[in-house]
Amino acid sequence: MGATVASAAQRRRRWLQLPLLLLAASASARYTPDWESLDSRPLPSWFDEAKFGLFVHWGVYSVPAWGSEWFWWSWQGRHDPQYEAFMQLNYPPGFSYPDFGPQFQASFYDPKRWADLFEESGARYVVLTSKHHEGYTLWPSPTSWNWNSVDVGPHRDLVGELAPFLREKKIHYGLYHSLLEWFHPLYLLDKKNNFTTQNFVKAKILPEMINLVNRYKPDLIWSDGEWEAPDTYWNSTEFLAWLYNDSPVKDQIVVNDRWGKDTGCKHGGFFNCMDKYKPTTLPKRKWEMCTTLDKRSWGYRRNMDSNEVLTDLEIIEELVFVVSLGGNYLLNVGPTKDGIIPPIFEERLRTVGSWLKTNGEGIYASKPWRVQMENTTTTIRFTIKQSDVYVFYSDWPQDGVLRLTSPIPTNRTTVSMLGVPGFLKWSQDSVDQGLFVYLPQPSPAIVKMMVWTLKLEEVK
Ligand SMILES: *[C@@H]1O[C@H](CO)[C@@H](O)[C@H](O)[C@H]1NC(C)=O
Ligand SMILES: *[C@@H]1O[C@H](CO)[C@@H](O)[C@H](O)[C@H]1NC(C)=O
Ligand SMILES: *[C@@H]1O[C@H](CO)[C@@H](O)[C@H](O)[C@H]1NC(C)=O
Ligand SMILES: *[C@@H]1O[C@H](CO)[C@@H](O)[C@H](O)[C@H]1NC(C)=O
């Protein structure tokens, strides 16, 4: 009897051992909720290859559409007298920020038209603000009762409606999400407790982010609003471990670095560092520069002036600069409360798109070259793809000869200009072994390009 019991227990132990071993094996391939493990995850390659993305700031702030998307904070957090005067002048006494909600109608929101324009711009990913610091969600978040786009305003799932049109065009879908909410009572309570309590994170943030991921299966989460509290308050490492190990997007998901006041430029997926961050030398980690067409705001402003909008040349030069240093360029547009992308933005996007149609070969899926830029007669930038080197310049030399010092040509080198058939004549600089390229006559079509791309190939 005793012996029989013992062997049954042994059998049971043996039986139990197998699944345990399997668990141990898969556990070793899993990420643990600490930065060392999470930072070791290779970034899914689609992100680096994409190079160019569009940012869309849209929310209840698009209703006053004045100042910036920080309207609520400027008015009732910072008590800026200009904002107080604006409210006094334009709205009845007692009008509150949530009263703007019903006026956020998105009446002309046509996600197919958006996606058509985004495709025309050459963007390979789009990042929509699913929720900004005001807390209003553009999807029916189960934890944002009566402060979401289905309960209040358009009565539509703005996040969800865009998804199929982007997917159809193979544009990756990213969702911006603000951790903090300026005036959420649970957030204010935790803040009062110096973030020693997690009421807000538990009741709002974690369920909401998990809902976003499960519901829309985004390719990118662009986190923001992290700066007041440490990552341990936000439980960021726990969330990211779930995202990387067990979520439905674990293979393709890409995230940025805004996961706590101590994580920017240090931890996460790719680095944003600061808004409009632009390094001057080649960074070690994948990075992204986010910037906005309206130089003074990310959200739509009704009183925006055309000279406050980035010019075509500024955009293209910046895109090339960023890509030459291994970055991605995320360019923002702010739609109106009706869901219209202002025509001046639309024009800019179409121009970038037509530039990319000709010159994108040296941009998409390129890598930084051994030399990223050079400064001879004009500013020159480089990228490389396979063994082809691309040279970008935006000043046409008066004598029609572009002088490069970094490339070392051989007798098998050919030089061409993207968008121009045939090869260009070149010669070698006898002094410092540089390359002189004899440019074609600048036809009106060439002049229109603004930034030109040469391709250096080694013929086999
Ligand atoms: C939070 O920190 C401040 C400053 O260190 C301190 O004065 C306050 O008592 C703290 N509050 C709580 C609830 O711990
Ligand atoms: C955050 O993570 C810690 C450690 O795993 C856990 O004890 C805590 O309950 C989590 N907080 C929330 C709000 O999920
Ligand atoms: C390029 O030239 C400008 C003007 O002479 C100078 O300010 C800048 O530092 C130079 N940049 C590089 C990378 O050499
Ligand atoms: C090209 O250069 C190689 C190596 O310098 C040399 O051996 C070869 O003869 C050259 N070919 C021509 C056609 O000049």
Side-chain angles (χ1 to χ4, degrees), residues 367-419:
K367 301 273 179 209
W369 192 42
R370 63 176 166 80
V371 177
Q372 295 88 50
M373 58 191 76
E374 103 184 4
N375 226 5
T376 43
T377 49
T378 173
T379 303
I380 289 161
R381 320 225 175 260
F382 299 97
T383 63
I384 184 169
K385 193 147 96 189
Q386 281 108 41
S387 58
D388 302 334
V389 173
Y390 294 88
V391 184
F392 303 86
Y393 64 101
S394 50
D395 281 318
W396 196 277
Q398 270 186 355
D399 61 0
V401 182
L402 189 75
R403 292 163 178 81
L404 304 170
T405 55
S406 307
I408 304 163
T410 71
N411 57 14
R412 293 179 294 120
T413 301
T414 62
V415 181
S416 56
M417 176 178 283
L418 297 187

Side-chain angles (χ1 to χ4, degrees), residues 222-239:
W222 212 102
S223 183
D224 194 22
E226 80 295 356
W227 56 80
E228 291 184 338
D231 62 296
T232 48
Y233 167 72
W234 299 114
N235 265 21
S236 293
T237 55
E238 285 80 6
F239 172 73

Side-chain angles (χ1 to χ4, degrees), residues 45-52 124 286 328 363-366:
S45 59
W46 73 261
F47 185 72
D48 179 46
E49 288 160 14
K51 304 297 183 193
F52 179 46
R124 297 282 165 94
K286 180 66 195 180
N328 276 18
I363 297 287
Y364 301 120
S366 68

Side-chain angles (χ1 to χ4, degrees), residues 198 201-202 206 232 235 238:
Q198 287 185 301
V201 176
K202 192 170 171 196
L206 291 175
T232 48
N235 265 21
E238 285 80 6

Side-chain angles (χ1 to χ4, degrees), residues 2 9 55 81 83 100 119 122 146 148 162 206 211 218 279 311 333 341 380 384 413 430 438 447 454:
F55 214 171
Y83 284 75
F100 286 125
E119 182 183 41
N146 237 6
N148 69 73
L162 183 58
L206 291 175
N211 179 255
T311 65
V333 296
I341 294 173
I380 289 161
I384 184 169
T413 301
S430 52
Y438 301 91
V447 171
L454 301 182

